[in-house]
Amino acid sequence: MKILGIIPARGGSKGVPRKNIKLLVGKPLIAYTAEVALKSKFINSLIVSSEDKQIIEAAKSLGIEVPFKRPNELALDTTPTLPVILHALDFYKNQDIYFDAVCLLQTTSPFRTVEFLDKAIQTFIDKNTDSLVSVQEVPHEFNPHWVFEQDNFGNLKIATGEKQIISRRQDLPKAFHRDGSIYITKTNILLEQNSLFGNSTSYIESPKEWYVNIDTIEDWVKAEKIAKTKF
């Protein structure tokens, strides 16, 4: 399977200004993702997609290809991830280069190991699903079977649609949320269904002690603690 690794890294960031090249315990944030992805035995080509000159220069200094500059209209706060991926695939299509799947690695979830990344890709290949995402288990108090929504009368109803609540924590099925670290999707799903997920999604559970999704200064402080003790 021929896999394109994409690290999206735009210049604008309100919560933590310039976070992609901000030094996290001595090295730019983007380096944590780049160094691992470059060592993967499954990723055939690794690129950074950015509109920002400084980020592009930083990526190149880390040994990552930057074959194009992302259009500014695809680097807004409101820009979804999918158009960024499709832009990269279209760039390669114009050169008659094709990939079987795309592995998206976000800098804002910087902590992975090469072994974990390759295990995720191997799981994706073995399961033969349309996609794979890395996840964290949802704490039982936030399990969807214990979450309520407002009904048409302003009262509460169980979010899953069940009539009776599961009373015992031990009886709750496991639930997961995306942690933002790894997304892998077959190229035909991206192009034909315009979807990151398709009809079948496998998963890999990330270690809780690595988890951070950097969006605020508080997240950055947490990331510094993890980097100092574990990475």
Side-chain angles (χ1 to χ4, degrees):
M1 181 172 282
K2 191 176 180 182
I3 297 176
L4 172 65
I6 300 178
I7 301 175
R10 67 185 186 89
S13 174
K14 294 179 179 177
V16 182
R18 308 295 294 165
K19 65 184 172 188
N20 281 308
I21 52 175
K22 181 178 172 69
L23 295 184
L24 178 68
V25 190
K27 61 183 180 182
L29 177 64
I30 193 174
Y32 286 86
T33 297
E35 290 170 357
V36 168
L38 283 168
K39 295 175 184 175
S40 171
K41 64 183 179 182
F42 290 107
I43 294 177
N44 302 94
S45 295
L46 178 68
I47 66 169
V48 160
S49 172
S50 181
E51 88 299 353
D52 186 271
K53 183 179 179 181
Q54 286 184 303
I55 293 176
I56 290 172
E57 290 175 353
K60 289 180 177 178
S61 73
L62 292 166
I64 311 172
E65 291 182 58
V66 189
F68 54 78
K69 184 177 181 182
R70 194 198 305 183
N72 289 332
E73 60 269 24
L74 290 179
L76 306 175
D77 285 340
T78 55
T79 303
T81 300
L82 189 57
V84 174
I85 297 174
L86 295 179
H87 172 261
L89 289 174
D90 190 57
F91 170 85
Y92 283 107
K93 179 184 177 183
N94 290 334
Q95 299 184 57
D96 207 27
I97 299 173
Y98 300 92
F99 296 90
D100 299 303
V102 170
C103 179
L104 183 80
L105 300 168
Q106 300 189 122
T107 61
T108 47
S109 297
F111 303 122
R112 314 167 189 81
T113 62
V114 180
E115 293 77 16
F116 180 74
L117 174 57
D118 281 349
K119 182 180 178 182
I121 299 173
Q122 186 67 66
T123 300
F124 169 70
I125 293 170
D126 292 343
K127 292 278 189 178
N128 194 28
T129 49
D130 290 342
S131 61
L132 175 141
V133 295
S134 57
V135 299
Q136 295 281 317
E137 186 173 354
V138 175
H140 68 269
E141 61 266 32
F142 301 126
N143 190 289
H145 295 272
W146 279 8
V147 171
F148 295 91
E149 296 176 349
Q150 191 177 58
D151 66 16
N152 295 332
F153 303 100
N155 300 320
L156 294 180
K157 62 178 181 178
I158 303 172
T160 57
E162 295 163 299
K163 299 301 180 184
Q164 297 295 324
I165 198 165
I166 298 173
S167 58
R168 290 177 5 111
R169 173 180 58 82
Q170 295 86 343
D171 295 331
L172 288 171
K174 281 190 174 184
F176 303 94
H177 69 87
R178 296 171 292 163
D179 68 2
S181 181
I182 300 173
Y183 293 83
I184 312 171
T185 312
K186 290 180 178 177
T187 303
N188 67 302
I189 299 299
L190 292 163
L191 296 176
E192 297 169 14
Q193 296 189 23
N194 202 39
S195 170
L196 269 175
F197 304 103
N199 298 319
S200 58
T201 302
S202 51
Y203 72 95
I204 186 168
E205 195 168 351
S206 304
K208 287 183 171 59
E209 62 267 25
W210 300 355
Y211 176 63
V212 65
N213 193 341
I214 301 173
D215 188 48
T216 65
I217 293 297
E218 290 75 18
D219 298 329
W220 186 271
V221 172
K222 179 181 177 181
E224 287 182 323
K225 292 178 181 177
I226 295 173
K228 287 176 182 177
T229 59
K230 300 185 184 301
F231 287 83

